[in-house]
Amino acid sequence: MTPLIYFVRHGQTPWNAEQRLQGQADIDINAVGREQADRNGRRLAKLIPNPAGFDFVASPMRRTRETMERARAAMGLDPVAYRTDPRLVEVNFGDWQGFTFAELEAHEPGVSSARQLDKWDFVPPGEDAESYEMLTRRIRPWLVEVTRPTVCVTHGGVLRAIFRLVEDLPKNKAAALEIPQDRVLRVENGRLDWL
């Protein structure tokens, strides 16, 4: 059984606000994202009265690191006393990174329709691009290795993979999940709950 994990999605970025596909582009959070990170940190402080026994890990991207550092500061902890794990980076959208779907469609009409047919297994064009299924295979070993209570700051795609891995949520439902940036996801006893 997986130990208690609190997941936080990174705070909003300018690209989130513009509905641009970020993937592995290294984008900073914006003012809204900073407020979200601070709020989630205060929420975590209430949920974890004694954080000494917790591991704190984040994706190594700038948006997740700043979110973790702001959350830890709001918890009264050393902002930089956490580790990163490269397996927690977002799904790679390949050549689509940096574009909105409207821009992709304007350039090549119908380009996103194949993704809509099978969003979970679709691999965008471009070197190193990934499907959500490929991302899930990358995340599974990390999840298996979690042995103590953990706070993890990561990405929307990673959290969709977590829903597949923990609750065996059907692919089409996992792919369509809205992943909020202003809430904490608790994984405990094989259940996921938004707090």
Side-chain angles (χ1 to χ4, degrees):
M1 186 69 70
T2 304
L4 171 65
I5 306 174
Y6 290 111
F7 284 101
V8 174
R9 183 181 176 194
H10 64 79
Q12 186 187 82
T13 71
W15 282 18
N16 288 143
E18 296 168 9
Q19 297 187 323
R20 292 190 181 282
L21 294 166
Q22 285 180 131
Q24 294 182 8
D26 211 2
I27 308 301
D28 292 312
I29 61 177
N30 61 18
V32 171
R34 291 182 187 98
E35 290 173 13
Q36 292 168 333
D38 294 345
R39 255 194 329 272
N40 280 330
R42 291 192 294 273
R43 185 173 289 132
L44 287 167
K46 291 177 182 174
L47 292 167
I48 307 171
N50 180 12
F54 275 73
D55 185 20
F56 286 78
V57 60
S59 156
M61 304 192 84
R62 291 195 316 255
R63 59 190 183 266
T64 44
R65 290 196 329 264
E66 183 176 355
T67 299
M68 175 67 89
E69 289 164 17
R70 295 187 75 90
R72 284 182 59 85
M75 294 176 75
L77 302 172
D78 178 351
V80 296
Y82 66 96
R83 63 188 183 87
T84 62
D85 192 311
R87 294 174 292 183
L88 293 170
V89 298
E90 181 61 293
V91 66
N92 190 324
F93 282 112
D95 293 345
W96 287 7
Q97 289 178 170
F99 294 96
T100 65
F101 279 111
E103 290 169 345
L104 291 169
E105 284 294 321
H107 177 69
E108 188 177 340
V111 70
S112 60
S113 60
R115 182 174 188 261
Q116 293 308 315
L117 292 174
D118 186 6
K119 192 174 176 182
W120 192 261
D121 291 301
F122 179 81
V123 181
E127 190 175 341
D128 298 325
E130 297 174 294
S131 66
Y132 284 126
E133 182 61 31
M134 294 162 72
L135 170 66
T136 302
R137 289 195 298 265
R138 171 162 46 90
I139 296 302
R140 184 185 317 272
W142 175 84
L143 186 62
V144 168
E145 291 169 16
V146 176
T147 58
R148 63 186 178 131
T150 297
V151 173
C152 177
V153 178
T154 190
H155 305 270
V158 171
L159 293 178
R160 289 181 182 94
I162 293 296
F163 272 89
R164 281 281 296 147
L165 291 167
V166 174
E167 288 191 340
D168 197 25
L169 194 69
K171 291 178 178 184
N172 62 333
K173 289 187 177 182
L177 280 174
E178 288 295 321
I179 306 292
Q181 293 169 298
D182 60 350
R183 296 178 70 188
V184 173
L185 178 66
R186 179 178 58 209
V187 178
E188 189 173 26
N189 299 322
R191 288 185 42 98
L192 293 102
D193 295 294
W194 287 107
L195 308 175

